[in-house]
Amino acid sequence: PFLIGAAIADAEGTHNSAVFLDINGFVQNIYYKRHLIPLTEYIPQSWFWKNFARIFHVESFELVPGTTAGLMNITSRISKEKALFGVAICSEDNVAKVFRQYAKEGAGFVLVLLNNGWFSQKEGLVMHAQHSIMRAVENRMPVIRVANTGLSGLIDRFGQLSPGSLDSLEQQRFFLYEIVPDSQKSVNNNLA
């Protein structure tokens, strides 16, 4: 199966999305990003922000947020059992409640798809990756980052990076990880 990023238009508008394709290439699930970035993915509708965008020539994609969690099932290659995982898109790794919800609902790991092409300095890429490390530790859940120009790799539930993970920027890489979801959850999962 493949999980790919896509812009999907429907009757509501265009969504920043993740599409999960099964082994036959059929759409199994779609997640629409719920937490959009102001002035990048949409312009807030208040008078102040509309005028700010007009004065400073801010152009936005005017994306529409999704309303449902990005929980998806994948079948284990070995046991053939279904495993639940969560999907976050780009800046959603900065939203702790997204990961907390996934952990509470039984996700064994979270996969973060992101486009870091708009960062102009290496430090921004590193800082963005630190959010995923925090989410992994907070929820005792592995996080896999897949970035087009940023830092990609596996972060385990203790915040440790798998060999080769997150150590090189803007290089084409291929990783193969075995994810073993852990039933031991953190205290954070009991929080509202």
Side-chain angles (χ1 to χ4, degrees), residues 34-108:
R34 294 180 287 168
H35 302 277
L36 301 177
I37 303 170
L39 302 177
T40 301
E41 294 177 311
Y42 77 102
I43 307 248
Q45 294 301 304
S46 73
W47 174 88
F48 173 80
W49 288 114
K50 283 185 165 199
N51 282 308
F52 178 90
R54 184 181 52 77
I55 291 168
F56 291 100
H57 307 287
V58 174
E59 294 185 27
S60 172
F61 290 106
E62 290 303 322
L63 298 175
V64 177
T67 57
T68 59
L71 288 164
M72 301 184 184
N73 282 302
I74 191 166
T75 304
S76 168
R77 286 185 314 116
I78 298 167
S79 69
K80 304 299 181 200
E81 292 179 16
K82 296 261 184 203
L84 191 64
F85 70 98
V87 176
I89 297 176
C90 198
S91 59
E92 287 184 319
D93 67 350
N94 191 33
V95 183
K97 69 181 179 180
V98 169
F99 286 71
R100 199 164 40 243
Q101 177 185 11
Y102 292 160
K104 281 184 176 184
E105 295 191 26

Side-chain angles (χ1 to χ4, degrees), residues 1-4 19-25 28 73-75 77:
F2 282 96
L3 183 68
I4 58 173
V19 180
F20 191 48
L21 303 172
D22 67 18
I23 60 173
N24 298 312
Q28 182 176 331
N73 282 302
I74 191 166
T75 304
R77 286 185 314 116

Side-chain angles (χ1 to χ4, degrees), residues 134-163:
M134 292 290 294
R135 301 293 88 83
V137 172
E138 286 173 343
N139 296 288
R140 296 264 191 196
M141 186 168 44
V143 173
I144 302 169
R145 287 177 52 91
V146 181
N148 65 339
T149 58
L151 297 163
S152 296
L154 172 67
I155 305 160
D156 74 14
R157 66 190 198 102
F158 300 109
Q160 299 296 311
L161 310 176
S162 291

